[in-house]
Amino acid sequence: MWLRSSWRNAMYTAASVFMVVCLVGAYDLDVQSSDSIKDVAKQMAEDLVSFYNGNEPGQTPGLLPQPYYWWEGGAFMGALIDYWYYTGDTTYNDIAQEGLLFQVGPYNDFMPPNQTLTEGNDDQGFWAMAVMTAAEYKFQDPPEGQPQWLALAQAVFNTQAARWDQDHCNGGLRWQIFTWNNGFDYKNSISQACFFNVAARLALYTGNSTYADWAVRTWDWMVNVKFIDDNYRVYDGAHIEDNCTTITPYEFSYNVGAFLLGSAAMAAYTNNSNQTGDAEMWHERVDGLLNSTENIFFYGNDTNDKVMIEIACEPVNLCDTDQLSFKAYLSRWMAATTKWAPWTFDRIKTLLGNSAMAAARQCTGGDNKRMCGLKWANNSGIWDGTMGIGQQMAALEVVLANSIQEAKPPVTNGTGGTSVGDPSAGGSDEGRIDPVGRYYGPVTTGDRAGAIICTIVIIFSLLTGAAFMMTDETKSVADNWAGFRSTFTTESALGAIVTGTATKKSVAVDDKGKTVAMERSSSTETGEKIPVAYPITGKLQKRPDSFRRSLGSQRVSGADFLSPSPVAEAPANNRDSRISTISVGATPMPRASVLKKQRPDG
């Protein structure tokens, strides 16, 4: 009897222990408790950093392992800065600083040579936003002699302002920087959002109105091409072939999030500079974007129970590697918005609190029973079976965001900012427009002379080899010469001349002596003229000459971007809150949009 009772007690004890072990990974998060938030965030950050090996010997600082793209490394460093900002824990500060500085590239503008062949404007923009955050939060400044946070953000701004493409869709940034990359013919919202975000925050930090002018110009272009609609919904982008009129209607949370924070920065900037009318306009835009954010990217009945969701891909289990992280940035930027647009605090804190509790509840995966998945909404706290940098970073950011009320406000040059700036940073980087010149520099007289010498040597070597191959060792020199001459009869020579003449008439020659099919050809479906970038030889040109000429007319130095621009005042009695009262060289045009985020092959 005693043995049977002891055995039963042992079984109950074992079952209880098993249940505790199974449940130990579920975080008990209290979003009203600073200690609880810090405790949960510490464990989440530890699990996030476990994916990173850039600080290990033989690895590259700032790069994430496969399959993560380069841009997400910048977002990752931003998460480590946020972790320090909200918790005061410096454990990962050196990792963040090292990763950010290692990827700045030779011109200190986040265009490292090993990334530029596939780097897009949005990729570069994410690194810029990370260093802008470092400046605003007074993250530890880089050592003397190293590029500083503010100057790095200014460099990215300058290089991107130089790429503003007025010739297609009347403005906007292309998705890709270089012509050979998939997506070069596409203008997407996230590239504009990053540029707008950085410009607005630079305006607030430095007080320089030209940054604000560029932010206004970007916003107005987005509205004019209908990437932002009347309800402040932000669509993905459009191709330039039809003047950005065929909108791709996908909506992703990081698009609206980046515009939300940038608009909050503009609201603070215009308020600080006593631009009352513009401050009210940006206030209205913040409210419109926040309404859109809650309506599209939060699931539930009302604000009190809604939880964040990546609506375009999460419900159908189709989120790619990039999209798995988007909720991290929406959480990050919604929280930061409350510092510059304090009237949004109660609403945002409620939405982020609901989401943080839902996110923490499902972090029961992995060997440690605390790894986080993607699905927070309507899942009863069940882990979805996925884990990775995107999922972990999203959970960490939404938990940290609930400490925003206790966090110090971001600084500016006038309120204690210490980061050193450089308004002309990035201006020496020819790669901002001409990717070829970036690596090889201008062609000099010495380069041409060397090319001629090399060409002569190669031709002489080829002719010598050909003569050797045609020589019959059993014959004399005179007999070989006679045989060689006999191969070129009068008839064949005449035929060659005739053929060459016909070719010259049928093949167009460009101004550099290279044959090209034609500068433009017609679409067989629409009859619309479309650019052709291929010569008859089948080799891909670096870029069409027409495009090279158009870019040449736009070349400006970094310092030029920070000179005052003409300002046109809109009629006071006919004001659309989505269209700015000032516009920098922008004219109204039909709106447009783009496909879900894609990446260049390889």
Side-chain angles (χ1 to χ4, degrees), residues 373-440:
L374 174 67
K375 295 184 176 181
W376 310 340
N378 195 34
N379 72 345
S380 303
I382 300 173
W383 177 54
D384 62 10
T386 71
M387 59 182 181
I389 290 176
Q391 299 94 313
Q392 199 67 28
M393 183 160 51
L396 172 63
E397 286 281 8
V398 75
V399 168
L400 287 171
N402 282 272
S403 292
I404 189 63
Q405 187 171 17
E406 293 78 28
K408 295 180 180 179
V411 299
T412 67
N413 274 342
T415 60
T418 59
S419 191
V420 178
D422 179 3
S424 63
S428 62
D429 185 1
E430 293 299 317
R432 68 182 186 267
I433 292 177
D434 182 8
V436 177
R438 171 189 184 89
Y439 298 112
Y440 304 109

Side-chain angles (χ1 to χ4, degrees), residues 157 203 207-215 269 560-565 584:
F157 168 84
N208 189 320
S209 63
T210 303
Y211 294 122
D213 292 344
W214 274 98
Y269 167 79
D560 291 336
F561 303 132
L562 299 182
S563 59
S565 304
V584 187

Side-chain angles (χ1 to χ4, degrees), residues 204 207 265-280 282 575 581:
L204 179 58
M266 287 299 293
Y269 167 79
T270 50
N271 185 63
N272 293 346
S273 52
N274 297 318
Q275 302 176 41
T276 305
D278 288 340
E280 293 175 354
W282 286 108
R575 186 172 188 173
T581 55

Side-chain angles (χ1 to χ4, degrees), residues 21 24-25 27 43 47 363-371 387:
V21 170
V24 71
Y27 291 115
Q43 297 174 75
D47 292 336
C363 293
T364 60
D367 294 337
N368 61 6
K369 303 300 181 184
R370 67 183 195 192
M371 301 303 290
M387 59 182 181

Side-chain angles (χ1 to χ4, degrees), residues 142-205:
E144 185 176 353
Q146 294 282 343
Q148 302 299 301
W149 305 134
L150 178 59
L152 286 168
Q154 290 171 313
V156 173
F157 168 84
N158 288 338
T159 60
Q160 294 201 346
R163 300 187 196 115
W164 186 265
D165 177 25
Q166 197 68 32
D167 291 342
H168 300 89
C169 309
N170 204 29
L173 292 174
R174 293 173 184 255
W175 175 21
Q176 296 299 323
I177 297 172
F178 303 125
T179 59
W180 51 76
N181 286 335
N182 178 36
F184 181 72
D185 63 343
Y186 193 71
K187 294 191 176 182
N188 61 345
S189 290
I190 189 56
S191 294
Q192 325 307 322
C194 293
F195 183 60
F196 170 79
N197 185 291
V198 171
R201 293 161 69 181
L202 281 171
L204 179 58
Y205 193 99

Side-chain angles (χ1 to χ4, degrees), residues 490-507:
T490 304
E491 292 81 0
S492 62
L494 290 173
I497 293 173
V498 172
T499 302
T501 303
T503 301
K504 289 180 181 179
K505 291 181 179 179
S506 61
V507 177

